[in-house]
Structure formats: C-alpha cells, structure tokens
Amino acid sequence: MNRIKQRFEVLKQQGRKALIPYIVLGDPAADVTLPVMHALVEQGADILELGVPFSDPTAEGPVIQKAHERALAHGSSLRDALTLVKQFRETNAATPVILMGYANPIERLGYQHFIELALDAGIDGVLTVDLPPEEAGEFNQQLGEAGIENIFLLAPTSSDKRQKMVAEMAGGFIYYVSLKGVTGAGNLDVVSVKQHVDHIRTLTDLPVCVGFGIKDGASARAVADLSDGVVVGSVLVSKMAELAACGEASPRAFSQAVSSLVAEMRDALDN
Amino acid sequence: MNKKASIDFNQMPDAHGHFGPYGGRFVSETLIYALDELESIYRSLKDDPEFQAQFDYDLAHYVGRPSPLYFAERWTRETGGAKLFLKREDLNHTGAHKINNTIGQALLAKHTGKQRVIAETGAGQHGVATATVAARLGLECHVFMGEEDIQRQSLNVYRMKLLGATVVPVTSGSRTLKDAMNEALRDWVTNVDDTFYIIGTCAGPHPYPELVRNFQSVIGREARQQSLAQTGKLPDALVACVGGGSNAIGLFHPFLADESVAMYGVEAGGFGLGTGKHAAPLNDGIPGVLHGNRTYLMEDENGQIIETHSISAGLDYPGVGPEHAWLKDIGRVKYVAIDDDEAMDAFRHLTRIEGIMPALESSHAIAYAEKLARQMDPDQTIVVNLSGRGDKDILTVAEIDGITL
C-alpha cells in the first residue's frame, strides 16, 4: 500500500492530525536538506513535502521564491531531488515523501522516465503546481499505473464543477489552499476554511489538508480541528533564510532551527 | 504540409486553448477562477456588435488606424528584387502595435467594472500602451518591469510615470521580462477581485493567446485590403519579428488560409544562434511549459528557463506564443533568426534611406526582408511589419556608438 494512504489510516486510528512540513531541496545548500528531513521526522512530521526548485515559481510568494533562487544558485535539480530521496530511504522506509514543483523540469525528463526514477527513489506522491486536471490527463494515468499519488490543489475560488473534477482525479489527499494569492501571504479565515473543507468532504473520501497561512502552533491547531492535517511551508523556509543570511553553513544549525518550530506545531496538534 | 489545406485557422485554438500540442492552461488552481472569468467575459463580448463598434471607433479615432501600407521605393530599388512594403504600426498612438491589444483588453476591463489594471513589460512599449489606456479610462495602473529593463529603458519608465502608472521594479530571477510576467501573475492571483491583467503578447494561459491575436489581427486585415487596393493582388510574402509574437500573429493570421502567401517570423539571434546567447526558441529551443502555456522555450538540461540575450529588450524573452509553435510544426510559417549586428545595420540603413527609424525589434524583420527580397522577382511583393518606431532605442544606439547624450 502507498505510504501516504497508510499514514492517514494510522493517524485516523489514533485520532491525530497530519503535520506536513515543506522545505525546498538544496536550500540553502546541498548538504542541508537530508539532515533537515530527518530532523523534521524526529519532531513528528507525518509526511514530508520537498519543493523542487524552478526558475519561474509563479505560485510562490517572496519567501519561497528566494528559497528556489538559493537552491538554483548552486544548480539543484529534479534529478538531485530524486537522488536525495533515495538516500533518505536508506534510513527511513516509513515516512511518505511528496515532491512539489512545476511541470517543466518533469517534462524535460519525460513523464515515463521521471516516474521510473521516482519509483526507484521511493517517492510516494507528486504535486505539480501548474498541471491542473485539464492538462494532467496523461501524466495522471501514468502515475496511477505506477502507484504514485497525484495530489491536487483546491482554492477558495474553485467552482463546484472543478472541485468535483479534482476530487475524481486526485490521489493521496486534497491540498486545500486557504487563501487567495501566493504562498506565505495573508491571514487565515477559519470560518471560510471550515465551509470549504466541509464541502470538499462531501465530494471525496480522501483526507483534506490545508496549507497557506499557517504560521505557528495556534494557527496549525485551528486549521487541523477542521481538517485532516496541515501543510507548513513559508514559516520554516523563512527561518532557514534567516540563518542563511547570517552566514550559517552547518546543516546541524538548520536542523535545530526547524526542529523547534515543528515540535511546537506537533505539540499544538496533539494536545 | 498537406494537412494545412484542411485546417480552419479560425477554429484554433480548441475549446481548451490548445493549438495542436501547444497552448493550454498550465497554471495553479488559484488562477483558474480568474481565467474562467476572463474567458466568459471575452466570449460574451467577442461577437457583440456594440463592443466591436467601440473597439473600431477607438482604433480609428484614438490610435489613428488604419495605419498606412507604405511602398518603400528607394529601399526596394537599392535592395534589388521584390517590392518592399512597410505596414506602418510605428505611426500608431504610442508608437507601436501594442496599443491595438491594450485598447481591446481595457474595454474588457471596463466591462468587468474592475478599477485596477496590471501589466508586465520588457522594453516598456506594452507598459506605456497600458498606462495610456488606463489614463484614458481613469483606471489605477501598476506595471511590473524587471530591474534590469528599468535601467535599459529609462525613457519609457518615465513616460509611464507621467501617464500616472506605478512602475514596480521586479528583482526576482533574471530581473527581465519573464520575471515581470511571473510577478504580474502573482499580483493577479492575490488581487483578482479588483484587478484585470492586461497581457502584452500572444502568450500566457488560455484565453490570452487567442484574444491578443484577435485584437492584433486588425494589422493583417488592413494589410490584406491595402495590398489588394495598391497592387491588385495579395503579397507574396509577409515578414515580422517574433518575441512573444503578437505583431507577427496579428499580421499573419488573416492570411493563413491564403496558400500563396509565404510567411517568415524573425527571432532575435542575439550574438548568433551558435553561441546560445540569443532569444530564438523556435530556432534553437525545445517544447516545454512556462507562463501557463506549452510552447518552445529556451531552457537548460534540467528544465530551468535560461537567460536570453537580444539587443532589443522587446524580443528578449525565452518563450513564444503557442500559436507560433504550432505554425512552425505544421510548416505554415518559417521561423528564422537575425543577430544583433544585422539588426543594427538594418536600423541604420532604413533610417538613412527612407527617413524611417524602426524599433530595434522591427529592425530584425527589416534585415530579414532585405535578404528575402534579393531572392525574389521584381514583380513580387513583401509586406514587412514595422511594428514600432525607434525613438525609444536612441539611447541604446548612442551607447553602441560610444556617445553619451
């Protein structure tokens, strides 16, 4: 069984909510990502979302854009992401890993070739930001055949028709984007999130996780109460950016910095 | 090539914005709503006689259309070969073809009741054309422009400010046109409730390539009538420069079904196709996905978009409109490249022998048309799209000449 599905089943049995941290591969340096991934798991991350750097990340706010730029400055690529996850799997066979990125690096490898490498690396899901259901048909089918979950976004502005279309095609979980705008923006409207999540639940049995705008333990808890889990990105990435700006280079320092943030959120979700 | 005869070019793109394998709507879910809304407004107004009449009125009385089709007699004589005609888009209000599209999109914006428009710009021509229509309609206007381009095009930056627009410097990525477009997309998704995004070229997510083409097709419709009136026949060849490709598609589209008319899209060869430092994805790129559409792109082996080079900021873009990608594949249009030096020579030459100073973008088309004319007979005709005037480029040219103004 796919690790994502498995994890959500366990969480459900335990009555707990999924904590899904997001970091960008190779941000700020190649040797930082692997130790940070392990640290995130130690602090209670359920699923890891690994951002694949792209030269034109149009859906990202400034914090994550800069992370992509830092990673690209030393040539981080989709191939590196696949290699890294393979290394991660040497010592962690249980934690699901999702690659989140843009279509062009995948198209450059070719769908089939990418999927072969992803299976070999132990990737459980992909979220391709700029491949909505209308354009995802072929890729979606090939991912399905390989047993890799194709994760889709839903937005506050998604029409009813689109929510149904996404629900039909999606695997793993539904990623509900809680805000209009780019990553890292604005403040959370809990009432609106509840309405939307409740509606999505009528369309699918998949877990619904919420991302965009979750900054600390309190906001994580507020959103988790309404959904099956939270995705946390910009707050972690901006912590790493602070360290990088101070000239910090030790992977250990980055691991410690994100650990305290993730531990706080885990605690808020569980207690 | 036989496929072409059976294609109804007016039925492209398909309902999802695809031109064969190109085009489409490769955007985040968060943007779909805005595009759906735009598409439905456009569909409801496209064939509305009142909307069309307003558009035509503005083009006639505000832009100054029709633009002349000018027989460049001396240029023809000195070149030797086919007769060279210039479609004078440089004579439009604001000095380029860009205004045709901004007039059209501003009318759509007005119809939505949104009070704020945004645009991306490279050379600044589209920014100026957007700031112009925004001033006329009393709309708030924000123009995103790469920091690099702000340095290169200070004259246009000041023009936009005089027109009341806010020029927003873009410091992400390579700080040029592609990054300005990224930033405009981000602004749009954040402020979609009160903001209309006026894209400047026939690229981007569906329905932009289609609607920009349709607004710009006035160029080709006029050129067709003018050719028939002045020469009694259709031209034998059309030549236009291609960055994103809006002036070219505007000229080409009304002629696509006329099999006797050959078409040439001229990309920016920069330092030369062999050097990799150019902006010619149709000549030397591969298909990929950027800015909401699948098209030919300049990218590296990891699928990252690479920085392009051209002497002309308006052609300095790593992608191209998806309809051009398709027209290349089916063989209907031939895409060629002209390098920086050839474009500069053409700029100087046309200025000296016709008293017409072409934009550096258009100079690429001028340079190729000259090569083409020499291979053709004197009873044949070529229509070259003179897409903009060169005044904005004077500082660039002076710098090349080592002169500080």
Side-chain angles (χ1 to χ4, degrees):
Chain A
M1 193 200 279
N2 183 288
R3 274 180 284 252
I4 299 174
K5 216 172 265 177
Q6 229 166 358
R7 180 57 56 111
F8 276 108
E9 278 184 13
V10 170
L11 286 167
K12 199 172 176 186
Q13 283 161 12
Q14 298 173 339
R16 296 167 72 227
K17 300 302 168 93
L19 176 58
I20 311 174
Y22 166 96
I23 54 168
V24 176
L25 165 86
D27 170 34
D31 60 354
V32 167
T33 308
L34 189 60
V36 168
M37 286 170 78
H38 286 303
L40 292 169
V41 173
E42 273 165 36
Q43 298 304 323
D46 292 297
I47 297 173
L48 297 179
E49 197 172 285
L50 192 58
V52 180
F54 182 49
S55 51
D56 296 82
T58 45
E60 317 297 348
V63 168
I64 293 178
Q65 277 173 51
K66 290 278 182 295
H68 283 241
E69 286 180 20
R70 284 191 296 273
L72 286 173
H74 57 87
S76 297
S77 69
L78 177 56
R79 280 178 190 277
D80 295 335
L82 294 161
T83 308
L84 188 87
V85 175
K86 198 168 175 173
Q87 283 174 315
F88 175 77
R89 285 276 172 254
E90 287 169 8
T91 53
N92 185 324
T95 308
V97 177
I98 295 164
L99 293 187
M100 178 170 182
Y102 291 78
N104 204 50
I106 296 177
E107 295 222 342
R108 183 71 197 220
L109 274 183
Y111 291 160
Q112 205 52 56
H113 188 202
F114 165 75
I115 288 170
E116 281 161 25
L117 295 173
L119 276 179
D120 181 52
I123 305 280
D124 305 286
V126 296
L127 196 173
T128 314
V129 180
D130 54 351
L131 214 53
E134 289 88 341
E135 306 290 354
E138 187 193 340
F139 189 45
N140 191 63
Q141 193 191 335
Q142 294 179 14
L143 285 170
E145 285 162 9
I148 297 175
E149 305 284 7
N150 196 9
I151 293 152
F152 285 93
L153 301 170
L154 276 176
T157 49
S158 302
S159 67
D160 218 41
K161 195 177 136 204
R162 292 191 60 74
Q163 294 188 40
K164 282 180 192 144
M165 184 173 22
V166 167
E168 261 168 46
M169 203 180 257
F173 60 91
I174 300 282
Y175 185 143
Y176 176 68
V177 175
S178 54
L179 296 166
K180 262 178 251 176
V182 290
T183 48
N187 286 314
L188 214 54
D189 176 352
V190 177
V191 177
S192 149
V193 171
K194 180 170 168 31
Q195 280 171 358
H196 283 97
V197 171
D198 287 349
H199 184 68
I200 296 167
R201 284 195 199 285
T202 66
L203 304 173
T204 177
D205 293 331
L206 288 176
V208 182
C209 296
V210 179
F212 285 31
I214 292 159
K215 294 183 160 64
D216 50 21
S219 52
R221 177 61 191 260
V223 165
D225 281 345
L226 317 168
S227 64
D228 299 299
V230 294
V231 184
V232 183
S234 293
V235 65
L236 298 179
V237 171
S238 89
K239 188 81 202 171
M240 292 176 68
E242 268 173 42
L243 283 182
C246 298
E248 182 57 64
S250 123
R252 202 189 150 92
F254 288 97
S255 298
Q256 283 170 347
V258 295
S259 288
S260 57
L261 283 167
V262 171
E264 181 204 333
M265 294 196 192
R266 181 77 268 171
D267 187 56
L269 292 185
D270 290 349
N271 298 302
Chain B
M1 296 281 265
N2 283 337
K3 284 196 298 190
K4 282 183 306 189
S6 57
I7 294 170
D8 182 348
F9 291 96
N10 289 315
Q11 293 303 311
M12 298 298 279
D14 70 15
H16 296 289
H18 295 115
F19 300 88
Y22 304 107
R25 196 178 265 182
F26 293 83
V27 295
S28 167
E29 180 65 28
T30 46
L31 254 188
I32 298 273
Y33 165 79
L35 293 166
D36 277 345
E37 185 189 58
L38 172 64
E39 188 179 2
S40 104
I41 290 158
Y42 181 59
R43 294 270 168 261
S44 73
L45 293 176
K46 189 172 162 270
D47 301 314
D48 178 56
E50 216 171 295
F51 179 80
Q52 196 57 50
Q54 180 71 55
F55 181 56
D56 292 344
Y57 180 91
D58 285 353
L59 289 184
H61 300 283
Y62 188 69
V63 176
R65 303 203 70 92
S67 68
L69 182 70
Y70 164 70
F71 175 41
E73 208 175 337
R74 185 171 173 210
W75 185 34
T76 298
R77 200 167 57 238
E78 296 210 353
T79 301
K83 293 188 186 69
L84 289 155
F85 287 77
L86 295 170
K87 180 62 176 159
R88 298 291 306 273
E89 293 298 300
D90 60 319
L91 295 178
N92 292 339
H93 180 42
T94 73
H97 72 289
K98 293 289 186 188
I99 190 96
N100 303 327
N101 169 49
T102 58
I103 291 274
Q105 289 198 51
L107 287 176
L108 294 178
K110 194 175 146 194
H111 198 83
T112 64
K114 294 182 180 182
Q115 289 300 307
R116 178 174 179 267
V117 294
I118 56 171
E120 83 294 340
T121 198
Q125 289 302 98
H126 174 59
V128 167
T130 303
T132 299
V133 295
R136 179 172 175 243
L137 297 176
L139 301 171
E140 182 187 338
C141 178
H142 288 241
V143 178
F144 294 89
M145 190 167 185
E147 214 174 35
E148 190 95 341
D149 290 332
I150 288 181
Q151 304 295 328
R152 291 198 278 190
Q153 300 288 338
S154 52
L155 224 51
N156 270 342
V157 172
Y158 190 55
R159 279 170 88 189
M160 287 185 267
K161 287 181 181 165
L162 287 173
L163 287 160
T166 304
V167 178
V168 186
V170 175
T171 56
S172 58
S174 61
R175 305 170 183 213
T176 58
L177 176 57
K178 81 172 176 72
D179 308 283
M181 195 152 175
N182 291 339
E183 215 47 49
L185 287 165
R186 291 178 187 124
D187 180 290
W188 196 31
V189 69
T190 309
N191 301 302
V192 59
D193 291 334
D194 70 346
T195 298
F196 189 100
Y197 180 17
I198 299 184
I199 288 189
T201 192
C202 56
H206 177 63
Y208 281 107
E210 178 186 348
L211 69 86
V212 173
R213 174 197 75 195
N214 290 349
F215 289 140
Q216 290 293 2
S217 289
V218 64
I219 302 172
R221 283 196 303 274
E222 286 175 7
R224 207 167 186 285
Q225 285 172 0
Q226 291 165 324
S227 287
L228 290 171
Q230 292 177 32
T231 69
K233 63 184 184 76
L234 293 177
D236 296 284
L238 307 175
V239 180
C241 65
V242 177
S246 70
N247 89 80
I249 204 70
L251 175 65
F252 295 167
H253 195 261
F255 290 95
L256 286 172
D258 300 309
E259 284 180 57
S260 68
V261 182
M263 300 181 194
Y264 300 87
V266 186
E267 293 195 302
F271 293 137
L273 284 184
T275 66
K277 297 209 176 305
H278 55 75
L282 291 169
N283 279 276
D284 194 30
I286 69 158
V289 173
L290 177 70
H291 291 152
N293 61 142
R294 182 178 281 126
T295 187
Y296 281 84
L297 299 173
M298 302 278 296
E299 60 175 64
D300 68 12
E301 71 282 2
N302 291 317
Q304 309 294 350
I305 308 308
I306 57 176
E307 286 183 37
T308 50
H309 165 79
S310 169
I311 193 171
S312 105
L315 300 182
D316 207 351
Y317 178 67
V320 62
E323 192 161 13
H324 288 294
W326 176 67
L327 291 170
K328 167 193 160 76
D329 281 11
I330 64 167
R332 179 63 188 95
V333 179
K334 188 164 191 269
Y335 293 90
V336 297
I338 284 291
D339 67 29
D340 286 353
D341 291 343
E342 293 172 304
M344 274 305 302
D345 289 347
F347 171 89
R348 293 179 201 280
H349 187 56
L350 195 75
T351 302
R352 292 300 289 269
I353 65 165
E354 288 288 352
I356 295 172
M357 194 177 288
L360 288 178
E361 289 79 8
S362 323
S363 299
H364 289 71
I366 301 292
Y368 187 76
E370 210 170 288
K371 288 187 185 179
L372 184 66
R374 289 197 196 100
Q375 299 159 19
M376 292 169 63
D377 298 329
D379 60 344
Q380 292 184 297
T381 60
I382 301 175
V383 170
V384 189
N385 204 2
L386 187 56
S387 55
R389 66 177 183 227
D391 307 44
K392 70 177 174 62
D393 296 311
I394 286 178
L395 291 176
T396 307
V397 176
E399 200 182 304
I400 289 168
D401 288 342
I403 295 166
T404 313
L405 295 179

